[in-house]
Amino acid sequence: MGRNNFFQFKQFIVIQEKAAMKVGIDGVLLGSWARLNGAEHVLDVGTGTGLLSLMAAQRSGAMVDAVELEADAAMEARLNFQQSKWALRIRLTVGAFQAFQADKKYDHILCNPPFFDNSQKSNDQKRTQARHSDSLSLKELLEGASRLLAEHGKMSLILPADKELRLFELASALNLYVVRITKVASDESRTAHRILAELCRKPAELLESDLVIRDQATGEYSAAYRQLTKDFYLAF
């Protein structure tokens, strides 16, 4: 198996031979940033190869439900879950999130959603589905989260920076509140290209911060990024 077909973390491995979307910084950022303290039931929407579910299982004692629409990604997610030390705590449902039903409410919902709604589409149908919002719009994602989120629950997601205003608008319409935002930039010379956002059902003062992934002078990962992700990357 080639190096690009799997990604080795400190406590688990992600096989990604057939899945359209490979392990990337966005997923690792979100899985490291989300506040999972006290969570007993976690939902990972659009799990792909299972990265966020595995990170949530490592960081908490929660039971994790994962939902994935694309068959090849779901197959690899199931394998990754079975091979992990948390196999008994992660359950996979194959299908569309819009149709997902649960017999519980969730303390935390995680999603690294498809968000390229206007950009050029790939000839690879699986990659297009994973990257574009046709299969799950931000509105549908938040509507589903509102239906499934416990009264005290939180939702964490990562989005392009230009979706911030849209996120606030959609959340407000569903009586959800954005309570934490981290703006992510590649280095100090660039404007933020991603936002990490936490939502809940009760209003609270918005906590805002910034994160730079790499040090501009050296090109190395920043101290803040290393600190955030140190429990996962082998190199840190």
Side-chain angles (χ1 to χ4, degrees):
M1 187 181 293
R3 176 63 181 86
N4 292 334
N5 292 336
F6 72 94
F7 199 103
Q8 179 71 57
F9 289 93
K10 284 181 177 175
Q11 294 193 39
F12 60 88
I13 187 170
V14 174
I15 295 169
Q16 52 184 9
E17 190 170 359
K18 295 183 178 180
M21 297 303 293
K22 312 301 184 187
V23 169
I25 284 178
D26 285 358
V28 177
L29 271 174
L30 179 59
S32 302
W33 181 86
R35 298 193 288 193
L36 298 173
N37 46 303
E40 295 181 3
H41 297 284
V42 171
L43 176 63
D44 174 12
V45 180
T47 193
T49 52
L51 173 63
L52 286 176
S53 292
L54 291 162
M55 294 180 78
Q58 178 181 323
R59 294 188 56 212
S60 73
M63 301 297 292
V64 181
D65 285 337
V67 183
E68 175 54 46
L69 175 62
E70 203 281 305
D72 282 340
M75 180 182 67
E76 291 190 328
R78 179 172 281 111
L79 180 61
N80 290 330
F81 297 157
Q82 289 171 346
Q83 291 185 349
S84 78
K85 65 179 75 174
W86 311 290
L88 296 179
R89 288 203 281 122
I90 310 176
R91 180 176 62 179
L92 176 67
T93 297
V94 182
F97 175 59
Q98 294 91 328
F100 178 72
Q101 300 292 326
D103 58 0
K104 66 180 79 71
K105 300 291 186 180
Y106 291 93
D107 305 310
H108 211 117
I109 297 176
L110 298 166
C111 187
N112 177 8
F115 44 52
F116 294 95
D117 47 12
N118 293 312
S119 60
Q120 184 176 359
K121 296 190 176 182
S122 166
N123 291 328
D124 182 336
Q125 183 178 355
K126 291 191 300 182
R127 186 168 174 81
T128 293
Q129 182 172 288
R131 287 169 58 85
H132 289 264
S133 60
D134 296 9
S135 59
L136 180 65
S137 69
L138 183 56
K139 182 174 184 289
E140 289 170 325
L141 171 62
L142 294 179
E143 287 173 344
S146 178
R147 174 172 57 89
L148 293 164
L149 196 63
E151 189 62 30
H152 61 274
K154 300 182 180 74
M155 179 185 190
S156 297
L157 68 162
I158 187 165
L159 293 170
D162 63 7
K163 293 286 191 290
E164 182 175 355
L165 180 59
R166 179 65 171 158
L167 173 65
F168 275 86
E169 291 172 346
L170 291 171
S172 177
L174 293 165
N175 294 315
L176 294 172
Y177 299 90
V178 182
V179 295
R180 189 164 66 115
I181 289 274
T182 296
K183 298 183 179 182
V184 182
S186 298
D187 62 43
E188 303 94 320
S189 69
R190 300 176 186 272
T191 57
H193 66 289
R194 295 282 187 270
I195 58 167
L196 291 154
E198 179 183 298
L199 297 83
C200 67
R201 292 195 183 280
K202 298 183 184 299
E205 182 180 356
L206 178 62
L207 301 175
E208 297 185 86
S209 60
D210 299 288
L211 176 68
V212 171
I213 295 174
R214 292 184 182 273
D215 181 87
Q216 184 182 359
T218 65
E220 299 294 327
Y221 286 115
S222 70
Y225 182 76
R226 287 172 175 267
Q227 178 63 29
L228 181 65
T229 61
K230 63 182 173 60
D231 291 339
F232 297 100
Y233 284 128
L234 288 174
F236 300 168

